[in-house]
């Protein structure tokens, strides 16, 4: 008797599906590939799902489901589904290329603020030769990274190599060369009070939602610049605007928003001290994403343990 051909379901917005269908088909020609919303398929035949934000309830309808592979590092889109089948391993996307893109974005915005690039762009627009403002010394500009995981660690190491004094905050204590480690809620205030530039690269969980708020902003030194590359749900946007307008915070760079796309009516768009990008900090490589999922499937099929499995109780 020949073995049943396994089926992988790709559940992404239809207009994006072609990004992944070719790399998946190339990397795993032995799998049958179905695209949710495009192809007819039998739910009883689905073995694996590759997705980012699957429609709520979709995943509970696959009795043979063996693993779900997230196309993103953040899995809050899966955690938001009360019907997520908790007995099925959820594997998140971890890849050096993703961490590198994120670290680049973070370094770019730390340096843009530190070197006062916006000031000089304004001067250029006015044809003014303004050499007046001395940059703060690098050695005196402490950068605090909320979340010292895959991405936060790489970003902290890159900034450390540029001579910024580095701090990192995580749930558990870390030992990263040149990065002072702060752990748990008990050390959050001490960490924040020493962050002249604050970067958020935490996963969005019930513990971290709205962690960037009026209360935590007050714990930051006056003049801190905030960079949020994690999720919009980490930030209370009104509190940020109030803290900048009061003069306490120097400004912010935001890649993620509570509502995406950011509505045209949002006051964030026109704020002179806020830089906005449309959730593009990491332009993930579809080839790498497909390969991570296929590697996971190969592990399962050869009886080896999966890696980067999400702890559903922790939420990341
Ligand atoms: P990760 O490796 O899981 O790291 C998460 C870090 O956050 C860990 O250091 C963890 O501490 C810490 N953490 C989690 N909950 C905490 C809590 N309650 N208190 C203190 N620390 C806590 O995740 P990652 O791969 O670096 O990704 C981080 C996030 O970046 C993703 O979840 C996603 O939301 C975001 N992201 C955004 C984009 C974008 O395009 N803007 C792209 C990719 C990812 P422990 O190490 O002690 O567990």
């Amino acid at each position: 008797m020949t073995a049943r051909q396994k089926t992988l379901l790709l559940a992404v917005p239809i207009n994006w599906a072609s990004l992944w269908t070719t790399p998946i088909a190339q990397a795993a020609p032995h799998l049958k590939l179905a695209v949710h919303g495009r192809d007819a398929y039998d739910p009883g035949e689905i073995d694996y799902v590759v997705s980012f934000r699957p429609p709520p309830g979709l995943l509970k309808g696959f009795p043979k489901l063996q693993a779900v592979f997230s196309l993103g590092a953040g899995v809050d889109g899966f955690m938001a589904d009360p019907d997520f089948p908790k007995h099925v391993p959820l594997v998140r996307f971890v890849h050096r290329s993703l961490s590198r893109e994120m670290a680049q974005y973070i370094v770019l915005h730390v340096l843009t603020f530190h070197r006062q690039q916006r000031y000089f762009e304004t001067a250029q627009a006015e044809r003014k030769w303004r050499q007046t403002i001395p940059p703060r010394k690098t050695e005196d500009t402490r950068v605090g990274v909320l979340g010292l995981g895959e991405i936060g660690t790489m970003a902290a190491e890159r900034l450390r190599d540029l001579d910024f004094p580095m701090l990192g905050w995580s749930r558990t204590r870390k030992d990263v060369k040149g990065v002072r480690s702060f752990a748990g809620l008990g050390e959050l205030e001490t960490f924040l009070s020493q962050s002249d530039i604050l970067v958020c690269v935490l996963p969005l969980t019930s513990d971290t939602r709205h962690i960037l708020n009026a209360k935590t902003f007050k714990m930051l030194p006056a003049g801190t610049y905030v960079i949020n590359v994690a999720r919009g749900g980490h930030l209370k946007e009104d509190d940020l605007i109030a803290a900048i307008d009061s003069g306490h915070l120097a400004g912010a760079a935001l890649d993620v928003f509570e509502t995406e796309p950011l509505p045209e009516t949002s006051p964030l768009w026109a704020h002179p001290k806020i830089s906005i990008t449309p959730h593009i900090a990491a332009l993930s490589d579809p080839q790498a994403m497909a390969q991570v999922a296929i590697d996971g499937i190969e592990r399962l099929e050869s009886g080896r343990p999966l890696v980067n499995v999400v702890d559903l109780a922790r939420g990341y």
Side-chain angles (χ1 to χ4, degrees):
M1 197 175 80
T2 52
R4 179 179 69 86
Q5 186 184 24
K6 301 266 178 109
T7 303
L8 182 155
L9 181 71
L10 180 64
V12 293
I14 287 294
N15 48 343
W16 291 4
S18 60
L19 282 175
W20 294 289
T21 45
T22 306
I24 290 174
Q26 280 170 351
H30 63 289
L31 291 175
K32 189 171 159 192
L33 175 61
V35 177
H36 178 70
R38 187 193 74 180
D39 303 331
Y41 62 87
D42 174 358
E45 295 293 306
I46 301 300
D47 300 279
Y48 312 109
V49 170
V50 173
S51 187
F52 185 51
R53 292 180 198 278
L58 176 75
L59 301 175
K60 75 168 181 193
F62 305 137
K64 290 203 185 114
L65 189 59
Q66 288 182 54
V68 177
F69 298 90
S70 167
L71 287 171
V75 292
D76 41 294
F78 295 90
M79 298 292 95
D81 180 358
D83 290 323
F84 183 88
K86 300 206 170 34
H87 61 284
V88 177
L90 170 62
V91 177
R92 68 189 198 91
F93 180 62
V94 175
H95 197 270
R96 188 178 164 75
S97 65
L98 177 84
S99 303
R100 185 190 60 210
E101 301 292 312
M102 292 290 283
Q104 280 178 4
Y105 182 97
I106 292 165
V107 170
L108 170 72
H109 286 277
V110 166
L111 291 179
T112 299
F113 172 66
H114 180 60
R115 299 298 304 254
Q116 300 168 308
Q117 183 60 22
R118 293 188 78 170
Y119 172 84
F120 294 111
E121 281 168 7
T122 306
Q124 180 182 350
E126 294 170 15
R127 296 174 175 258
K128 297 288 185 207
W129 186 264
R130 289 197 187 118
Q131 286 184 312
T132 48
I133 297 189
R136 183 169 26 186
K137 280 172 72 178
T138 304
E139 294 81 353
D140 295 338
T141 306
R142 301 160 296 181
V143 184
V145 180
L146 286 165
L148 263 194
E150 296 289 338
I151 297 167
T153 301
M154 187 184 280
E157 289 173 338
R158 302 260 149 118
L159 290 164
R160 172 204 66 199
D161 292 346
L162 291 170
D163 289 346
F164 288 97
M166 296 303 304
L167 304 75
W169 185 70
S170 42
R171 215 173 36 80
T172 55
R173 182 89 47 215
K174 303 291 170 192
D175 184 13
V176 182
K177 189 174 156 231
V179 182
R180 273 194 293 148
S181 167
F182 296 78
L185 267 185
E187 296 181 11
L188 179 61
E189 182 163 5
T190 318
F191 162 84
L192 291 174
S193 71
Q194 300 176 52
S195 298
D196 301 307
I197 298 177
L198 180 70
V199 179
C200 179
V201 67
L202 286 164
L204 184 62
T205 67
S206 53
D207 290 334
T208 64
R209 179 171 292 281
H210 290 156
I211 191 165
L212 301 173
N213 61 48
K215 198 170 153 212
T216 47
F217 291 150
K218 280 205 184 93
M219 297 173 186
L220 294 165
T224 291
Y225 188 78
V226 173
I227 299 170
N228 187 20
V229 271
R231 286 288 182 265
H234 287 117
L235 172 68
K236 283 196 138 180
E237 293 172 356
D238 290 349
D239 289 4
L240 176 75
I241 292 174
I244 295 175
D245 291 347
S246 75
H248 180 59
L249 294 184
L254 308 175
D255 185 53
V256 287
F257 303 89
E258 192 89 68
T259 304
E260 294 183 4
L262 183 63
E264 269 183 42
T265 51
S266 168
L268 295 169
W269 281 113
H271 199 289
K273 293 186 174 168
I274 297 178
S275 290
I276 287 183
T277 48
H279 203 146
I280 47 72
L283 296 172
S284 305
D285 172 2
Q287 204 102 30
M289 290 169 144
Q291 197 54 56
V292 165
I294 301 308
D295 287 349
I297 290 171
E298 278 171 11
R299 280 179 165 272
L300 274 178
E301 292 185 349
S302 61
R304 286 175 296 145
L306 286 167
V307 290
N308 299 315
V309 176
V310 172
D311 178 336
L312 297 182
R314 275 188 338 191
Y316 70 98

